[in-house]
Amino acid sequence: MKVVYKKPEVLKNVNFHFCPGCQHGLVHKIIAEAIDNFKIKDKTIAVIGVGCGVFLYDYFDVDSLEAPHGRGLAVATGVKRARPERIVFTYQGDGDLASIGLAETVHAANRGENVSVFFVNNTVYGMTGGQMAPTTLLGQITTTSPYGREFQRDGYPIRMSEMLATLEGVAFSARVALCTPKQLMEAKKAVKKAFQMQLEGLGFSFVEILSACPTNWNMQPLEAIKRVEEEMIPFFPLGIYKERRVSDVL
Amino acid sequence: MEKLFLRGSEALALGAIDASVKFYAGYPITPQNDIPEFLSRELPKVGGKFVQAESEVAAINMLLGASACGLRVMTSSSSPGISLMQEGISYLSGSELPAVIVNVMRWGPGLGGIGASQGDYHQATKGGGHGDYFVPVFAPYSAQEMYDLIIRAFDVADKYRTPTMLLVDVMISLMKEKVIRRFEKRSEVKIKSWAFGKVKEGEQKIIKSLYLKGNDLERHNWKLYEKYKVMCEKEVIYESYLCDDAEIVLIGFGMVARIGKSAIDIARERNVKAGLFRPISLVPFPEKELEAISKKCKKFLVVEMNTGQMVHDIQRVLGKDIDISFYGKPSSYAPTPEELFYKIKEQI
Ligand SMILES: Cc1ncc(C[n+]2csc(CCOP(=O)(O)OP(=O)(O)O)c2C)c(N)n1
Ligand code: SF4
């Protein structure tokens, strides 16, 4: 029999705890495939933010460190400086990375810390029950924006990939989604690219993944995917915002 | 052994180098900038890493990352910066990660002032961060102790897998004195088997402070507490000066104790039977040792450069029957030896 599909080796044999239709699981799988691809399981250290992804160490068989909420990139800075020979990635939500941890994010990016960042943008604070995030879309109803997000009161959704791309320290910045097979292929490429950048020592690599949170959006899984396509992507356009090449740093 | 003439801050930074510190992260704040300045120059020479962080919040979390990799790590700051580090100190404790934090105290609350203060005793000893944990705290009173105690702080941090703190008076930090470099040829720090090595070795290592299952958190908190109980047995340090026949004992830590010692000398010259007791480890507090003195001496004068913080611990240890008076100086002007001598005289 020909093997046409198998579970990534770095993932353990346990079920994810995520809600039905949640895309965190898919993001985990893509990262796991990239780790397998580069055969860096034993070199990798995961720095895990506080959010629905906090149990990443239960699924990934890699050395793992839990960061305080928002501080992932300060923690990753310490890890990478201490162990430059290891491959370090952070896994962070939009509350974690773009709100409480924004200063750590921007400065780690600006220093060009040679780490990879996987940023799950689901437009809400998932773990705490669906409050407004810095990425919540205008008009979006959340538990703390019951009348919809209004720019005069709440400001605008923040576009991290574009913002970080302006910083010299950033080697790679891209936004991807997981709604169609084509998007999935692009997402896999971007995640691999992020690790490759780090392996080549090019600096900070950042992948923003638009992700469905059916539970806190009060939607069926398929409806939630449709929302990513119809509401999120128009505001958060997919694509590569920055890509440094080896020749750029020589 | 090399004999040097150093500022307290330099002695501390040199001690850190001799203790094999390999990672420093910090953010500028007066009056401790000479520590990062020294280490930014000296750390790269011994293969260490220096990072100027974007904030104290980031600095303490950089320590968390580097400590998880088994390096000896430290930061230094002053009061407002230490407030920002409290969340990180709580996480270091919860994750059982060693780190050394130096607080060269200045005035609060708020922006306060940059003068000499002991206003952070409570914050340091009672745990400024959330949760149930203890951070060993040492209070140096000379340049030599800046050197000696930072080395001890690293050793204790590793031994118990805990953050430790040096609570430093700005005068001790600025004063230049003789320092004997006792540990120049110190051997390398032991490999930490729990830390992330150069590659994953065998089982996956998980370093975290989240415990959600069953009684895990309760067990974890009791484990932290048990470590503290052992520290209480093994890590107490103090100095007792002329207390044996004393009718009154002055208690102070750090700079106050240094000035207090001169006050005791003045008193003795004038046949006043006064002694000095100084806790060097503020956590664990030298409770038994203080109690032992109170068997003979029934009068105590507690002096602090604040409105009264350590005095509450003294009252707790000695109880209501002992005569404890307090002299506080919540200002940048330290008491003089004569002033303390008169305070002693007033009490007897
Ligand atoms: C200092 C601090 N503030 C608040 C929290 C509570 N908290 C836990 S997770 C979270 C937000 C999670 O949202 P996000 O980062 O978007 O990740 P998601 O759960 O959506 O994947 C918050 C606010 C905390 N743990 N620590
Ligand atoms: S709350 Fe949302 S983000 Fe969290 S697991 Fe459920 S669906 Fe996923």
Side-chain angles (χ1 to χ4, degrees), chain B residues 185-229:
Chain B
K185 299 255 156 9
R186 215 154 183 273
S187 56
E188 278 297 297
V189 183
K190 276 199 226 106
I191 304 267
K192 301 171 183 176
S193 58
W194 50 264
F196 304 144
K198 288 196 159 65
V199 288
K200 177 163 169 280
E201 300 133 347
E203 283 276 289
Q204 165 198 33
K205 287 174 186 155
I206 302 172
I207 298 178
K208 66 182 178 94
S209 61
L210 180 68
Y211 291 90
L212 289 181
K213 288 196 194 99
N215 295 333
D216 287 359
L217 185 59
E218 185 177 343
R219 268 199 294 275
H220 180 63
N221 277 328
W222 280 121
K223 178 182 169 197
L224 298 183
Y225 181 74
E226 289 308 323
K227 292 201 290 190
Y228 170 64
K229 293 311 282 179

Side-chain angles (χ1 to χ4, degrees), chain A residues 152-166:
Chain A
Q152 276 128 334
R153 185 187 53 224
D154 309 317
Y156 294 89
I158 197 163
R159 293 189 181 100
M160 287 305 301
S161 298
E162 289 87 333
M163 184 178 145
L164 292 179
T166 64

Side-chain angles (χ1 to χ4, degrees), chain A residues 25-235:
Chain A
L26 206 46
V27 181
H28 276 39
K29 204 188 80 171
I30 294 174
I31 296 172
E33 284 175 357
I35 291 174
D36 276 10
N37 175 73
F38 292 109
K39 300 191 169 49
I40 49 174
K41 174 171 171 279
D42 290 344
K43 282 180 77 175
T44 300
I45 297 176
V47 175
I48 308 159
V50 180
C52 284
V54 73
F55 297 112
L56 188 137
Y57 47 72
D58 281 342
Y59 312 121
F60 280 70
D61 181 22
V62 297
D63 286 343
S64 304
L65 180 55
E66 181 189 87
H69 188 36
R71 313 298 166 219
L73 279 157
V75 173
T77 297
V79 173
K80 190 70 182 186
R81 299 279 180 125
R83 291 263 175 255
E85 64 277 24
R86 297 201 60 162
I87 300 300
V88 179
F89 78 87
T90 71
Y91 189 97
Q92 302 176 262
D94 37 13
D96 193 89
L97 179 136
S99 187
I100 193 168
L102 188 64
E104 285 79 0
T105 304
V106 169
H107 284 282
N110 193 49
R111 286 191 302 267
E113 295 296 337
N114 192 30
V115 299
S116 304
V117 180
F118 303 114
F119 167 50
V120 180
N121 176 357
N122 58 13
T123 72
V124 284
Y125 284 52
M127 192 187 219
T128 40
Q131 295 82 4
M132 181 171 64
T135 45
T136 295
L137 294 174
L138 289 182
Q140 184 179 339
I141 288 171
T142 70
T143 57
T144 52
S145 57
Y147 308 109
R149 181 176 190 156
E150 198 189 306
F151 73 86
Q152 276 128 334
R153 185 187 53 224
D154 309 317
Y156 294 89
I158 197 163
R159 293 189 181 100
M160 287 305 301
S161 298
E162 289 87 333
M163 184 178 145
L164 292 179
T166 64
L167 299 174
E168 291 299 337
V170 174
F172 184 72
S173 175
R175 185 182 293 115
V176 300
L178 311 167
C179 306
T180 64
K182 181 165 178 283
Q183 286 173 8
L184 200 65
M185 299 304 285
E186 293 297 323
K188 287 183 179 192
K189 262 202 271 179
V191 169
K192 262 195 220 161
K193 191 67 150 206
F195 279 117
Q196 196 186 331
M197 293 273 169
Q198 186 179 164
L199 284 159
E200 287 171 4
L202 291 182
F204 192 86
S205 50
F206 182 83
V207 182
E208 173 175 352
I209 302 119
L210 303 183
S211 180
C213 173
T215 302
N216 287 306
W217 297 356
N218 286 313
M219 286 179 179
Q220 295 295 324
L222 285 179
E223 255 185 292
I225 303 254
K226 211 164 141 221
R227 175 178 184 254
V228 176
E229 286 253 70
E230 290 176 359
E231 294 178 31
M232 283 180 78
I233 293 176
F235 189 87

Side-chain angles (χ1 to χ4, degrees), chain B residues 128-193:
Chain B
H130 60 286
D132 213 358
Y133 67 94
F134 298 87
V135 171
V137 180
F138 303 102
Y141 101 139
S142 63
Q144 183 67 53
E145 276 192 0
M146 292 283 263
Y147 178 86
D148 293 346
L149 288 177
I150 189 107
I151 294 173
R152 182 185 280 256
F154 276 107
D155 288 348
V156 170
D158 276 358
K159 185 167 163 196
Y160 297 92
R161 288 184 60 184
T162 175
T164 59
M165 184 179 279
L166 248 64
L167 195 62
V168 177
D169 288 290
V170 62
M171 283 172 158
I172 304 298
S173 168
L174 295 179
M175 214 156 44
K176 222 166 174 172
E177 300 185 81
K178 186 179 88 178
V179 174
I180 297 170
R181 194 177 180 186
R182 301 187 218 275
F183 300 109
E184 191 181 350
K185 299 255 156 9
R186 215 154 183 273
S187 56
E188 278 297 297
V189 183
K190 276 199 226 106
I191 304 267
K192 301 171 183 176
S193 58

